[in-house]
Amino acid sequence: MAMANNKTLCFTCSKEKITYLCRGCSKEFCFIHLTEHQQNLNEELNYIINDYDQFKQRINEQKQNPQSHSLIKQIDEWERNSIEIIQQKAQECRKIVIEYPQKFIDEIEKKFNDLSEQIKQIHSENDFNEINLNYLENQLIQITKEINNLSTNSIKEDSQSFINEISIIPSKISKLNKWKQNAITVAGGNGQGRGLNQLDSHSGIFIDKKKNIFIADWLNHRIVEWKCNVKEGQIVAGGNSRGNEINHLNYPTDVIINQQTHSIIIADHGNKRVIQWTNQNQQILIHNIDCYGLAMDKHGFLYVSDWEKNEVQRWKMGEYNNEGTVVAGGNRQGNELNQFNTPTCIFVDKEQSVYVLDFHNNRVMKWRKGAKAGRIVAGGNGQGGNLNQLSYPTGVIVDDLGQIYVADWGNHRVIRWCEGKEEGEIVVNGNGKGNQLDGPRGLSFDDEGNLYVADCCNHRIEKFEIIL
């Protein structure tokens, strides 16, 4: 009887021998080369242990000596340089304060001595009349004014700092946040109406640091504030029926809060004006503008989208009587990269780049500061429901990582786009039981990263809690 052949090829020596299976790599080795293979694995493990030890040592070094970090060294250098500049400037100012008055007094004293000589001469010669006396009196008044001017010297503080400002920019570690799909209704939700616990086809929303929600209650011609965890809102602007008087609103589309002045700024769309309400006092900031969306950057500049002129304009705080500066669009209606077709909501990031919802082009455009044209960062592939398309987008916000969130009105969803990607991903589709979105419009985050959606056609504000 022939002996059964239980030999196979060894992976290492390629000879037919009795082999043993390595379950890690699923390869067969003879006894000799299996031992060699295990030794190789042990060496690799030692390398990994060594890497772990080195990494642990780095962590301990960072914990024990954080001052050695290169950023700390840069901050220390900035501090030293700034102190030197301040000291140099202070010394220059001291020198001016000490030397200039003395020089000025010497000149006045010379004039006074000349005048004294003239008085002595007139007096000794006893030869003068009214003209001489008027002249002497006027000269004395003049030098008196000059010496009084010394007390009006002051220090001018330039708002434009001569010290280079620095700040720490944390690394943008990619973290794609997720939110619970079962939303919490935090405003409205009691049907369409004018009651203080109701909304009517609202649009823009703004969340302040206390999680209070300011709502442009569109068809009710009012701005309503819903404080955190309350059952009804309170009217903080408008609410006096539709009209064009100073205390009326006409289809307001957006609202923001000026944190510096604690005032409410409103896109009073139907009256073609931007109006400010401060403690029930009203002031029209911008006249004759077909405004829709509002934004304010960290420097206090106000941005307004004008959907009739297909452009976004910027105003400096307190200079609303001047013409605004066009920072996006302004090249007639169209679908080129330097054009819009009905711009609506806008968002401005820390670099003063402007994100614009190009409504009828079904896209979001990003215009960097000073750019002559924008770039498509969401949509732009025609109207539709695919992940690379939008359908009448009506709300946009951008997070700290530069990820763009769009209220995709026609598709009843909120979709996230990362700049440079060819398609987005759905983050809120509203298909959870009892929480389906119907025409979402305004979007906002609170400080904790919870997402708020103006669920327009359901006449409510939905809060989607972040999953930590």
Side-chain angles (χ1 to χ4, degrees), residues 31 42 66 73 94-95 99 112 119 150 155 172 210 293 300 338 353 387 391 393 406 424 446 448 454:
F31 182 77
N42 284 330
K73 294 180 180 178
R94 291 189 192 100
K95 186 176 179 181
E99 293 181 356
F112 179 75
I119 294 174
L150 280 174
I155 293 176
K172 288 187 176 182
K210 297 180 180 179
N338 66 342
S353 294
L387 289 178
S391 179
V406 184
D446 64 21
E448 297 177 358

Side-chain angles (χ1 to χ4, degrees), residues 385-435:
N386 296 325
L387 289 178
N388 68 340
Q389 294 178 306
L390 298 171
S391 179
Y392 301 126
T394 49
V396 62
I397 51 175
V398 182
D399 66 17
D400 291 337
L401 300 180
Q403 298 171 129
I404 304 143
Y405 298 78
V406 184
D408 194 7
W409 188 85
N411 288 317
H412 311 291
R413 66 189 183 186
V414 177
I415 191 166
R416 171 172 56 201
W417 288 66
C418 297
E419 187 174 345
K421 298 292 185 180
E422 294 183 357
E423 63 181 30
E425 62 172 329
I426 298 172
V427 294
V428 172
N429 58 24
N431 290 328
K433 183 178 179 181
N435 286 281

Side-chain angles (χ1 to χ4, degrees), residues 172-188:
K172 288 187 176 182
I173 301 173
S174 178
K175 178 186 176 183
L176 297 179
N177 291 331
K178 294 183 179 180
W179 292 267
K180 297 178 182 178
Q181 294 300 298
N182 285 328
I184 302 171
T185 299
V186 291

Side-chain angles (χ1 to χ4, degrees), residues 297 301-303 312-316 324-325 327 352 369:
D297 67 20
F301 286 93
L302 178 65
Y303 297 74
V312 177
Q313 301 174 28
R314 182 183 68 197
W315 273 267
K316 186 177 181 180
T325 301
V327 294
Q352 294 180 294
K369 183 180 179 181

